[in-house]
């Protein structure tokens, strides 16, 4: 097992066998619109997967948490620009309270290596 960016409470990702389990990724810009925040989270996912030796075409599952389900269409607009056609993972989207009120979105992914 390998941990990426391990801290005292959590790791940004854990690799076990041929699978990368990523921690929830959140936006940098608190209070920004859903489009901006979604792009920031997707960029963070790209960077984390690259660090682990994977990429978005190898994502097995994505869990999207929106602070307000009314942002669903705006999030999907950015997601659809980002995901590679025909390579979309299994995905669930739910509404839930996030740890910081300035965050509108958090995304958790699990991906295959190599």
């Amino acid at each position: 097992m390998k941990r990426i960016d391990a801290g005292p409470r959590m790791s940004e990702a854990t690799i076990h066998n041929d699978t990368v389990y990523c921690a929830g990724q959140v936006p940098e810009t608190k209070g920004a619109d859903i489009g901006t925040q979604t792009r920031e989270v997707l960029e963070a996912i790209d960077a984390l997967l690259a660090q682990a030796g994977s990429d978005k075409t190898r994502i097995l599952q994505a869990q999207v948490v929106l602070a307000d389900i009314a942002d669903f269409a705006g999030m999907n607009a950015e997601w659809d620009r980002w995901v590679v056609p025909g390579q979309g993972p299994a995905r669930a989207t739910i509404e839930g309270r996030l740890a910081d009120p300035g965050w509108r979105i958090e995304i958790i992914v699990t991906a295959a290596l190599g």
Side-chain angles (χ1 to χ4, degrees):
M1 181 169 25
K2 177 182 175 185
R3 298 185 189 282
I4 297 175
D5 295 336
R9 177 173 290 155
M10 59 175 272
S11 299
E12 284 299 314
T14 303
I15 300 171
H16 183 257
N17 293 330
D18 291 327
T19 306
V20 181
Y21 302 89
C22 297
Q25 300 300 297
V26 296
E28 292 289 324
T29 310
K30 295 178 184 179
D33 64 59
I34 191 62
T36 298
Q37 288 199 357
T38 301
R39 284 189 302 277
E40 289 177 355
V41 170
L42 296 174
E43 288 168 6
I45 289 169
D46 282 336
L48 187 56
L49 289 176
Q51 189 175 356
S54 189
D55 64 58
K56 64 186 172 186
T57 66
R58 311 224 13 111
I59 296 174
L60 303 168
Q61 181 180 40
Q63 299 169 46
V64 180
V65 181
L66 296 173
D68 185 343
I69 202 69
D71 284 334
F72 187 68
M75 178 276 298
N76 272 330
E78 297 302 325
W79 178 276
D80 291 346
R81 282 190 271 280
W82 177 75
V83 74
V84 176
Q87 301 295 315
R91 191 187 94 175
T93 303
I94 63 167
E95 179 181 67
R97 190 177 331 183
L98 299 175
D100 187 303
W103 296 335
R104 302 176 73 90
I105 186 169
E106 181 170 354
I107 301 177
I108 306 153
V109 300
T110 302
L113 286 178

